[in-house]
Amino acid sequence: EEVEYEKFWAAWDTVFPDAETTPELIIVSGNHEFDRAVFGKESYSEAVERILRVFGFGEEMNQHKVVNGYHFITVNSESEYTHGKFTEVSTDWLKAQLDAAVAENPNMPIFVTAHQPLQNTTYGSDWDASLNKTAALYELLKNYPQVVFFAGHSHYPMENERSIFQEYFTCVDVTSMNYMSIEDGSKNYEYQGALLVTVSGADKQIVIDRYKINHGEEGDTAEKIKDSWVLNLPLNPDEFTYTAARAESRTAPTFAEGSAVTVSDVAQNTAKVSFPAATHDDYVHAYNITIKNGETVAVTQKVNGDFHKPAAEQAASFSVKVSGLEAGVTYTVEVTAVESFGKESQPLTAEFTTEP
């Protein structure tokens, strides 16, 4: 809607009132800019025309700007499809821009942005392969180690260290300044975040700092969280540190000595499973509940942790109702804590029998 763009410009002009000192604004469209097209209220081309007009893009959605010698390239979806659509139309254009940047200076980083992440790279990108329309982008970018690729879409919290990933090039997940979401699809408007990316030619580094947006009575503030991500320049895959190999050095979460899982409110087909929070040197991402009848797994359930909340607001324990049980059966329940790369704790176990 037009009013949403007006809100943006009002905020931008308030923060940056002086045209001479206003920073360069580089924008890539998200999927919600095309909601009206998705629901048949306008065409994709009409949505594009509005975006071009309100942001002064001219005739092209994709942008290539050079700021202080650094190349910034945006790639926009070719359709209103929620998870994006990128074909040779996008990749042919992008390849030309990348080749031009590399020819200018092959040792300089190139910042590329799209709304949708590349599948199975950063936290939040492991969606159903049938929905993936970014494969063409990934196959192209594999040839350019200079690329630092920023994407959003998932709204996942940036506390997760998998929010940065390096293999052939670097991928960074950009969290949301609207609402935060996790795997269960819940939306939390109390927690937002932002990234501050600093490039130091003298130090030959890119430093990415993560900020949590805090809402207080006197206004919003930004708080730096966790360690900075540091990328050494020039970017070289042989020296990448934020790779899948990080999982090998991770430790598993632990429950405190004497911790126990308890089962209450037992009925014929349901029961309540309660257990204390585990700890980890980074954080506990989730808990896995497994209920067995002998060696046969009867029920599995995942409980997401609350790592995205401030420490003072994180739960000391969890209680979960499980269903799908059979009457008059003796079950064993196991609860394990899982960190963000998948390392699991030793299980807490208990037995219970459902009502006959």
Side-chain angles (χ1 to χ4, degrees), residues 68-117:
N68 295 332
Y70 295 98
H71 290 259
F72 295 83
I73 305 171
T74 66
V75 188
N76 295 267
S77 174
E78 298 169 29
S79 81
E80 69 274 19
Y81 178 61
T82 298
H83 297 295
K85 179 183 178 182
F86 303 91
T87 69
E88 66 276 2
V89 173
S90 296
T91 56
D92 286 352
W93 177 86
L94 178 56
K95 185 178 187 304
Q97 312 310 308
L98 293 171
D99 288 344
V102 171
E104 184 177 302
N105 188 337
N107 293 320
M108 290 282 277
I110 305 170
F111 300 100
V112 179
T113 303
H115 179 67
Q116 290 82 3

Side-chain angles (χ1 to χ4, degrees), residues 169-308:
F169 56 100
T170 303
C171 293
V172 181
D173 180 66
V174 179
T175 191
S176 172
M177 294 185 70
N178 183 14
Y179 66 84
M180 187 279 303
S181 183
I182 52 178
E183 286 91 330
D184 62 8
S186 60
K187 296 180 180 180
N188 194 317
Y189 289 87
E190 296 181 20
Y191 306 103
Q192 297 94 27
L195 300 179
L196 175 63
V197 182
T198 306
V199 184
S200 173
D203 296 328
K204 296 183 178 181
Q205 288 183 334
I206 299 172
V207 178
I208 303 175
D209 291 318
R210 293 168 279 181
Y211 285 83
K212 176 79 77 178
I213 308 301
N214 297 318
H215 304 290
E217 294 181 359
E218 299 181 0
D220 296 344
T221 59
E223 173 191 6
K224 184 180 180 298
I225 62 170
K226 305 194 76 174
D227 293 336
S228 303
W229 293 323
V230 179
L231 311 178
N232 293 319
L233 299 175
L235 292 166
N236 180 352
D238 292 336
E239 299 177 2
F240 284 170
T241 58
Y242 301 103
T243 66
R246 288 176 291 173
E248 299 171 6
S249 62
R250 303 279 290 193
T251 60
T254 58
F255 287 101
E257 185 176 355
S259 294
V261 54
T262 59
V263 184
S264 59
D265 298 346
V266 180
Q268 288 183 325
N269 307 114
T270 61
K272 183 169 74 174
V273 177
S274 302
F275 52 92
T279 59
H280 186 255
D281 55 9
D282 185 7
Y283 67 81
V284 177
H285 188 79
Y287 298 86
N288 289 331
I289 300 174
T290 304
I291 298 179
K292 297 180 179 180
N293 178 1
E295 295 300 316
T296 302
V297 175
V299 175
T300 60
Q301 190 163 328
K302 178 182 177 181
V303 179
N304 289 300
D306 51 4
F307 61 90
H308 55 280

Side-chain angles (χ1 to χ4, degrees), residues 153-170:
H153 195 50
S154 72
H155 291 248
Y156 280 11
M158 59 194 168
E159 284 86 346
N160 192 313
E161 293 303 322
R162 289 190 290 119
S163 296
I164 184 170
F165 176 76
Q166 293 178 303
E167 188 176 17
Y168 304 102
F169 56 100
T170 303

Side-chain angles (χ1 to χ4, degrees), residues 301-337:
Q301 190 163 328
K302 178 182 177 181
V303 179
N304 289 300
D306 51 4
F307 61 90
H308 55 280
K309 297 181 180 180
E313 298 178 20
Q314 293 179 9
S317 61
F318 297 85
S319 291
V320 182
K321 182 179 180 179
V322 294
S323 58
L325 306 174
E326 295 182 4
V329 175
T330 297
Y331 290 100
T332 300
V333 58
E334 297 180 353
V335 176
T336 59

